[in-house]
Amino acid sequence: MNLKEFLRRIFEYFKAHRKDLAVFIPSFLLAFSIWFIHNVSLRYSEILSANVVAKSNLDGCRDISSNFCTVTARCRATGYAILRNKAFGSHRKLIVEIPESSLRHKQGDLYAFVPESMPELGNIVFGSSVSSVEHYLSDTLFFHFPAEEFRKLPVKFQGSCEFAPQYMSVKGVQLEPDSVLVYGEPSALESLTDIATEPLFLTDLNANEHGSVQLEHTSGLRLSCREVEYRVNVSRYVTSVVDMEVGVKGLPEGKSISVFPSSVHATVNFIFPLRIGKDTVSLAYVDYADFEKSRSGKCILRTASLPEGVLSVEFDTDIVDCVAE
């Protein structure tokens, strides 16, 4: 019996037994659905392909490549993932973020990328239903990242820090990175002097504080990073009033000047607990170069480099009188 004769007999049977047909069709569809779901849930070894556009944060270049490359690999994947890839894989382009360290500069704006250097690429490109990539058939991809106008600008902290009583910070808010690359039209870049953080207000600080803060976005510009890390090192301090003799720095041989007053009162903030003796602090001086430039003999009182354990020094006067002897 050939197939044509077999189908004819089935048709005649169901024509004579219409009630059986009403039962057969739902049963057949249910059986087919179970069979199909079972088979697409199994894993197979198959060659999959996807079109990829690279995104990266290369200095001086656009962040999106001007071309796309086709990634081809033999993968272990579910039947559903294979069907989806065969149906839609060649019709769409996926933007994949690639670390700068994985891109090798070849020449001009051309960069090479080896898929095997990025283990998670298989799941990103072919989907989470891919359990493993057995091997890549396209061993090296080449992307073009055209050059783009940019400037390197400092990051400016925008906000304030308030400390609990008897706590302070010497260096204030430290940012990492402290500068970013800004991309855009030359006319827009010329007017910029810095990039500000989003407003951040820290209050009642009595311990080191750190975190991340977003950078303010300017329309038409792109930043090399969207946020920076901040750190505020906080120290507890005690305050003491110390008498300091005023020294002279840069005094040439054979020259001599007198300073009035010869000592000043200074309010010194020491790290608590004290690690140095208060009587060993001698930080006040005048610079002989200032005296030579001065017509009246008045000189600015300066502070030497603060020794370890001293947070800040404030004198009761900012100006002293100097007289040549």
Side-chain angles (χ1 to χ4, degrees):
M1 182 188 303
N2 57 30
L3 180 61
K4 185 176 180 181
E5 180 66 19
F6 176 73
L7 293 176
R8 186 184 66 78
R9 289 189 178 186
I10 291 178
F11 178 75
E12 289 179 352
Y13 175 82
F14 283 120
K15 189 176 180 179
H17 303 82
R18 294 183 179 274
K19 291 183 179 180
D20 292 344
L21 181 63
V23 176
F24 173 77
I25 291 177
S27 300
F28 174 79
L29 293 176
L30 178 61
F32 176 80
S33 299
I34 294 173
W35 172 86
F36 180 79
I37 292 172
H38 171 72
N39 279 275
V40 297
S41 64
L42 296 178
R43 295 190 177 274
Y44 306 89
S45 177
E46 185 59 62
I47 294 176
L48 306 180
S49 297
N51 297 323
V52 170
V53 175
K55 181 178 182 180
S56 194
N57 196 18
L58 296 167
D59 290 351
C61 300
R62 280 175 49 185
D63 59 335
I64 302 291
S65 65
S66 59
N67 67 310
F68 71 89
C69 294
T70 301
V71 179
T72 306
R74 177 170 287 279
C75 306
R76 293 288 300 178
T78 62
Y80 172 74
I82 294 171
L83 290 175
R84 183 180 58 185
N85 181 264
K86 300 298 184 183
F88 307 108
S90 61
H91 301 295
R92 59 176 181 170
K93 298 180 178 67
L94 300 173
I95 297 178
V96 177
E97 191 158 347
I98 300 175
E100 304 95 286
S101 58
S102 297
L103 290 167
R104 291 183 288 110
H105 182 245
K106 303 299 289 184
Q107 60 180 9
D109 64 354
L110 183 65
Y111 290 81
F113 169 64
V114 177
E116 290 183 350
S117 67
M118 190 172 169
E120 67 273 20
L121 182 66
N123 288 125
I124 296 174
V125 173
F126 301 121
S128 58
S129 299
V130 173
S131 58
S132 65
V133 175
E134 295 178 355
H135 65 272
Y136 286 97
L137 302 180
S138 46
D139 59 345
T140 305
L141 308 178
F142 295 94
F143 295 101
H144 291 272
F145 289 90
E148 190 173 13
E149 290 288 336
F150 72 96
R151 283 185 64 191
K152 188 174 184 179
L153 295 175
V155 178
K156 178 183 177 183
F157 176 74
Q158 185 177 207
S160 64
C161 294
E162 296 180 3
F163 301 91
Q166 296 301 114
Y167 287 89
M168 66 180 296
S169 174
V170 178
K171 296 183 178 180
V173 181
Q174 298 172 279
L175 301 175
E176 179 62 36
D178 59 2
S179 61
V180 294
L181 299 182
V182 186
Y183 299 86
E185 294 296 327
S187 57
L189 295 175
E190 288 176 0
S191 61
L192 297 176
T193 57
D194 54 51
I195 297 297
T197 65
E198 294 285 352
L200 178 66
F201 301 97
L202 305 173
T203 59
D204 200 33
L205 296 178
N206 59 10
N208 294 341
E209 182 81 10
H210 65 89
S212 60
V213 58
Q214 295 285 322
L215 299 178
E216 284 192 339
H217 175 69
T218 303
S219 179
L221 298 177
R222 178 173 65 87
L223 305 179
S224 58
C225 62
R226 292 295 307 136
E227 66 178 24
V228 296
E229 302 293 322
Y230 71 86
R231 172 174 289 277
V232 184
N233 292 327
V234 179
S235 299
R236 187 180 178 188
Y237 70 91
V238 292
T239 302
S240 180
V241 177
V242 180
D243 287 330
M244 292 187 185
E245 291 188 0
V246 180
V248 180
K249 285 191 176 182
L251 189 65
E253 187 176 352
K255 298 285 187 178
S256 178
I257 63 172
S258 297
V259 181
F260 301 98
S262 60
S263 64
V264 292
H265 296 297
T267 302
V268 184
N269 292 325
F270 297 88
I271 289 179
F272 181 83
L274 293 178
R275 295 185 177 88
I276 62 173
K278 292 181 287 185
D279 56 344
T280 66
V281 178
S282 180
L283 303 171
Y285 76 94
V286 293
D287 194 323
Y288 185 78
D290 293 340
F291 174 70
E292 284 192 317
K293 297 175 185 177
S294 172
R295 294 183 178 180
S296 62
K298 294 186 180 296
C299 296
I300 298 174
L301 195 59
R302 299 182 181 273
T303 306
S305 298
L306 300 181
E308 185 179 357
V310 177
L311 296 175
S312 66
V313 176
E314 183 179 347
F315 301 116
D316 62 350
T317 180
D318 296 324
I319 304 292
V320 293
D321 294 308
C322 298
V323 178
E325 295 181 353

